[in-house]
Structures are given as structure tokens and as C-alpha cells.
Amino acid sequence: MTTDPLAPLDLAFWNMESPAHPMHLAALGVFTANSPTAGAHAADLLAARAAAVPGLRMRIRDVWRPFGPGPALPTAFGGAVREPAPGFDPHDHVLLHAPTDDFHAVAGRLMERPLDRDRPPWAAHVLPGEDGVSFAVLFKFHHALADGLRALTLAAAVLDPVDLPARRARPEEPRRPALPDVRRLPGLLRGAVSDLGRALDIGVGLARSAADVRSPAALTAEPTGTRRTAGAVLDIDDVHRVRKTAGGTVNDVVLAIVAGALRRWLDERGAAGAGLAPRALVPVSRRRPRGAHPQGNRLSGYLIRLPVGEPDPLARLAEVRTAMDRSKDAGPHRGAGAAALLADHVPPLGHRLAGPLAGRAARLWFDILVTSVPLPGIALRLGGHPLTAVHPFAPLAHGQALAIAVSTYRGHVHYGFVADAFAVPDLGRLARAVNDELETLLTVCGP
């Protein structure tokens, strides 16, 4: 294992973290159990397997000076690197908790805790169920260590082995010279000008997105550092029924259900109303499966308005579909939703100095995060115990009260909600509203 400089977006996530807003993503996996000791056995397995996974041994270390030639130079003066952690002990990261009858209540409290920045920034919390027939594991990964796809790869490495389709070997990236070839300078200059134009275009989009905004007060919060989680599970066949009748994609239906659930939840709070359309950031991965950057975060996104103020569920779906089609036509490299691309234009020292300010600016850019986390279609197990549900959790941005993540696994759509515990004490009601909204869509779509 060698030293690996952090990509610009990874560095941004590392520096925008604060005690009240840890930048880890997570997933709560629920497994069936055949005995009350299944959870303890699972913890032993996780610790033993983690010791053999190189990616779980990597810590993140800040650097203030150049430390090598070639590709490492851009990380100088305020950058950071991934490197093997000395004295790595997986038992520091795999923690067995007391039995509980409420996995989400414990998960919420655990989501409040930042990961130890002096160790490899990940943790696996094993939660035995009081009923003895289930247990859960909360996997936490810092966003600078792994994005959703990389976190899935690391988590899968400590689950029971599965037969995956063979992948072609990825060609090695040619080593870049310390200085550019002078023959390439005209092309490099054209690229720099193009990049600058793209950055300016994104900046204009950000400014426009912050103008004339009517954001629900329920989606903003003064940071308290507290967290609450909840989950909802839908049958994917029901989602496809709505899609086939009303049109659009599965993702369009998933987003429309979020809009409808928010409308129900806000209406109960007396906060819904005509014209209400919070800005939703929908991240898009730019990573190529066999690209040259297997570990770095490479994200863009779409920024759309969720038609919460529209009373007709089919009209809400149509508006979501139109907004997503418009964003896709423009592409993930244009508009305010592509703000993550600006990280590539900021020097490492800029991330170090401006990271906290960038984190605080999120509420000016979007009101709610709705992200999709990929999961394999194969059945996953731990110690022979099948995974029956998995709720992904996204980081909660500064000044925002709610984030939503969605995964599809084994014929079901799993929603994961993370909220500020003081701002959203009724998070369970919002989770239940997801099921209510799907039932309404099925009713209006007919048999």
C-alpha cells in the first residue's frame, strides 16, 4: 500500500467537517438471526475480515509541504493523503453494542459521533436485537475515504464471500511527468480556458438558484449536532406499476414520492402551501467503472425543484419528470447542480482555509439532498445470516434539517432518512408518509 493524494472533492469533504456536522455516510443493514448470540458472532467476523482489507487500513493525514514529484505535487501546501495506518487494530473500529428493540434510535445517536480523524475513518457498529431473531450493523465511512460506490466495495469485503461476475483488468494509467510536455501546452491552455468557462457557468447557476427562493422552514435548522434516523421500504413492483402507467423512470417516481411525502408531512405541520418547491440536490456519479481514479470522489449533480405545493400526485410526478429530463439534457457538467465540480478549480490550501465556509454555504445552494446509493442485485449475508433491509444515510449539511438516501435491493426500494433530532422530532411520520404516498399513486394509476 502506498501514499495516495486526496482528490480535490475528497479534500473538500475532509475540510468542511465540523463536530456538529460530521461528513460520514452510512448504511444500516438489518440481518435475520438464528440465536441471541448472532450479533456477537457477526462482530467477531467483521473484525477478523477487516484486518485483511487494505482499504480499511488507510488513514487520512494532512500535509503542508511537497512530499514527492509528479502527480503528488498538486496536494502540496494544504493537501492530504491516504496512507496505511501504523498499528491498525480492527477491534478499534468494530464495536458490539447492547441489545436494543429500536435499531434506528441507536443509529441516530451513533450518526452524531464524528469518526476518529487520527485513525482510518470508518466504523462498524453491531446492534443485536432484543428479540434474538435479528441484528443490525451500522457501517460508517468518511466521505473523504469512500463515496457510495467505494463504501459499498469496502463493506462487501467484510460480508460473506459471494460469486461476482469477472471484471476485466483496468489498464494502468501512464505516470504523468512532473512538468507538462511543452508540445501539449496549446491543448492544455484551451482546456484551462474551457474549465474556467465551465466554472463561471456553474457559479452563475449557483447565484440564480439562490435567488427568489422559498424554502420551507422545516427543512432548515440551527446546528445542534444531534441526529435521528428513520427508514421506509417499498415494493419495487409497485414503483414499476406507477412508472409504466404515468411514464418516466424509476428515479422519477422515487423523487415524486419524496415530494408527496414532504407535502403530507409539511401539511401536518401547517407549513405546506401553493408554490412551495424546495431545491433538491440529486448527486450524479462521474466515476467511470474502469477509469483512472478508482478511489477519489467524482461527483456532479442535478438541482431540481420538488413540486411540494402541487396537490395532484400525478401532476407532481409529471413536474419531477420534466425537471429531470431538462437537467439530463443539459448534462451533469452544467448548472448549479454541478457545483461539486468547482472543487477541481480550488487549490489544496484553498480547501483547507475555505472548507468550513463552504460547508456553511450549503443551505444557500439547496434545501434537501436526495441521493441514490447503488447496491448489488445479489443476496448478501454475514455469518450466514441474510441481509433483509438496508437503509443508506447521507451526511447532513450545515443549516439543513434533513437528508434522504435511497437504495434498491432484492426487489425493494429502501429509503434512509437522517435529520437534526431537535428540528425533526417527528421523522418517523415522514418515513411513514413515503408509504402513504405510494399507496395514493397506485390508487390514482388504477389496476
Side-chain angles (χ1 to χ4, degrees), residues 362-374:
R363 68 188 299 176
L364 301 177
W365 169 27
F366 63 95
D367 302 305
I368 185 172
L369 176 74
V370 186
T371 184
S372 177
V373 181

Side-chain angles (χ1 to χ4, degrees), residues 410-431:
R410 305 295 289 173
H412 292 86
V413 180
H414 299 256
Y415 286 78
F417 301 85
V418 176
D420 183 284
F422 279 89
V424 190
D426 55 347
L427 185 62
R429 178 65 195 97
L430 175 59

Side-chain angles (χ1 to χ4, degrees), residues 68-74 174-185 188:
L73 283 174
R175 183 175 179 84
R176 293 174 293 178
L179 295 175
D181 187 333
V182 294
R183 293 170 296 182
R184 299 177 57 222
L185 286 178
L188 292 173

Side-chain angles (χ1 to χ4, degrees), residues 142-237:
H142 197 286
H143 220 316
L145 178 70
D147 62 4
L149 185 59
R150 176 67 176 164
L152 170 63
T153 301
L154 293 172
V158 293
L159 298 178
D160 292 356
V162 294
D163 293 326
L164 296 175
R167 294 180 59 180
R168 290 180 295 175
R170 180 169 50 238
E172 292 188 7
E173 181 185 17
R175 183 175 179 84
R176 293 174 293 178
L179 295 175
D181 187 333
V182 294
R183 293 170 296 182
R184 299 177 57 222
L185 286 178
L188 292 173
L189 289 173
R190 286 195 299 271
V193 172
S194 176
D195 286 347
L196 178 60
R198 186 180 300 119
L200 290 174
D201 178 67
I202 294 170
V204 170
L206 284 172
R208 290 174 175 171
S209 74
D212 190 27
V213 172
R214 184 188 171 196
S215 300
L219 297 181
T220 61
E222 291 302 317
T224 67
T226 61
R227 294 292 182 271
R228 187 183 303 273
T229 72
V233 181
L234 306 180
D235 191 313
I236 190 65
D237 289 339

Side-chain angles (χ1 to χ4, degrees), residues 351-428:
H351 285 296
R352 179 70 60 88
L353 298 177
L357 294 177
R360 291 175 178 270
R363 68 188 299 176
L364 301 177
W365 169 27
F366 63 95
D367 302 305
I368 185 172
L369 176 74
V370 186
T371 184
S372 177
V373 181
L375 288 178
I378 57 177
L380 299 174
R381 295 174 178 269
L382 178 55
H385 304 288
L387 176 68
T388 58
V390 55
H391 300 287
F393 300 135
L396 193 60
H398 186 281
Q400 296 182 333
L402 176 67
I404 302 174
V406 187
S407 287
T408 300
Y409 174 70
R410 305 295 289 173
H412 292 86
V413 180
H414 299 256
Y415 286 78
F417 301 85
V418 176
D420 183 284
F422 279 89
V424 190
D426 55 347
L427 185 62

Side-chain angles (χ1 to χ4, degrees), residues 35-428:
S35 75
T37 62
H41 177 58
D44 291 338
L45 278 177
L46 290 173
R49 292 170 178 174
V53 181
L56 296 179
R57 304 176 66 93
M58 303 298 281
R59 70 174 181 178
I60 296 176
R61 178 172 61 86
D62 294 320
V63 294
W64 284 97
R65 54 185 173 79
F67 58 88
L73 283 174
T75 70
F77 303 118
V81 297
R82 296 186 193 89
E83 63 180 13
F88 171 72
D89 185 350
H91 293 91
D92 293 333
H93 302 264
V94 179
L95 306 171
L96 178 64
H97 294 259
T100 178
D101 62 353
D102 190 340
F103 295 139
H104 279 289
V106 180
R109 294 192 294 270
L110 293 173
M111 288 294 291
E112 298 174 4
R113 304 179 187 176
L115 292 162
D116 189 339
R117 291 169 70 94
D118 294 325
R119 294 174 175 171
W122 67 274
H125 297 273
V126 181
L127 316 176
E130 283 188 351
D131 55 13
V133 298
S134 64
F135 67 90
V137 180
L138 179 70
F139 290 101
K140 293 169 56 176
F141 295 92
H142 197 286
H143 220 316
L145 178 70
D147 62 4
L149 185 59
R150 176 67 176 164
L152 170 63
T153 301
L154 293 172
V158 293
L159 298 178
D160 292 356
V162 294
D163 293 326
L164 296 175
R167 294 180 59 180
R168 290 180 295 175
R170 180 169 50 238
E172 292 188 7
E173 181 185 17
R175 183 175 179 84
R176 293 174 293 178
L179 295 175
D181 187 333
V182 294
R183 293 170 296 182
R184 299 177 57 222
L185 286 178
L188 292 173
L189 289 173
R190 286 195 299 271
V193 172
S194 176
D195 286 347
L196 178 60
R198 186 180 300 119
L200 290 174
D201 178 67
I202 294 170
V204 170
L206 284 172
R208 290 174 175 171
S209 74
D212 190 27
V213 172
R214 184 188 171 196
S215 300
L219 297 181
T220 61
E222 291 302 317
T224 67
T226 61
R227 294 292 182 271
R228 187 183 303 273
T229 72
V233 181
L234 306 180
D235 191 313
I236 190 65
D237 289 339
D238 289 338
V239 174
H240 279 298
R241 281 178 54 196
V242 174
R243 177 190 61 81
K244 291 176 181 178
T245 301
T249 67
V250 167
N251 194 51
D252 293 339
V253 178
V254 166
L255 288 170
I257 289 173
V258 168
L262 286 172
R263 177 181 173 83
R264 293 168 183 269
W265 176 64
L266 291 171
D267 188 56
E268 288 187 0
R269 287 176 159 224
L276 195 61
R279 299 160 300 172
L281 176 63
V282 184
V284 177
S285 176
R286 298 188 301 125
R287 176 185 292 179
R288 293 172 295 176
R290 297 177 177 85
H293 301 277
Q295 293 185 331
N297 275 290
R298 300 185 63 80
L299 295 172
S300 181
Y302 302 133
L303 192 67
I304 70 168
R305 299 276 184 162
L306 292 178
V308 171
E310 170 57 57
D312 185 335
L314 290 181
R316 282 197 298 270
L317 175 53
E319 289 190 31
V320 166
R321 179 183 178 184
T322 298
M324 287 299 293
D325 287 346
R326 186 182 302 116
S327 295
K328 292 173 185 177
D329 288 342
H333 298 277
R334 297 183 62 86
L341 302 182
L342 294 177
D344 294 337
H345 302 275
V346 178
L349 186 58
H351 285 296
R352 179 70 60 88
L353 298 177
L357 294 177
R360 291 175 178 270
R363 68 188 299 176
L364 301 177
W365 169 27
F366 63 95
D367 302 305
I368 185 172
L369 176 74
V370 186
T371 184
S372 177
V373 181
L375 288 178
I378 57 177
L380 299 174
R381 295 174 178 269
L382 178 55
H385 304 288
L387 176 68
T388 58
V390 55
H391 300 287
F393 300 135
L396 193 60
H398 186 281
Q400 296 182 333
L402 176 67
I404 302 174
V406 187
S407 287
T408 300
Y409 174 70
R410 305 295 289 173
H412 292 86
V413 180
H414 299 256
Y415 286 78
F417 301 85
V418 176
D420 183 284
F422 279 89
V424 190
D426 55 347
L427 185 62

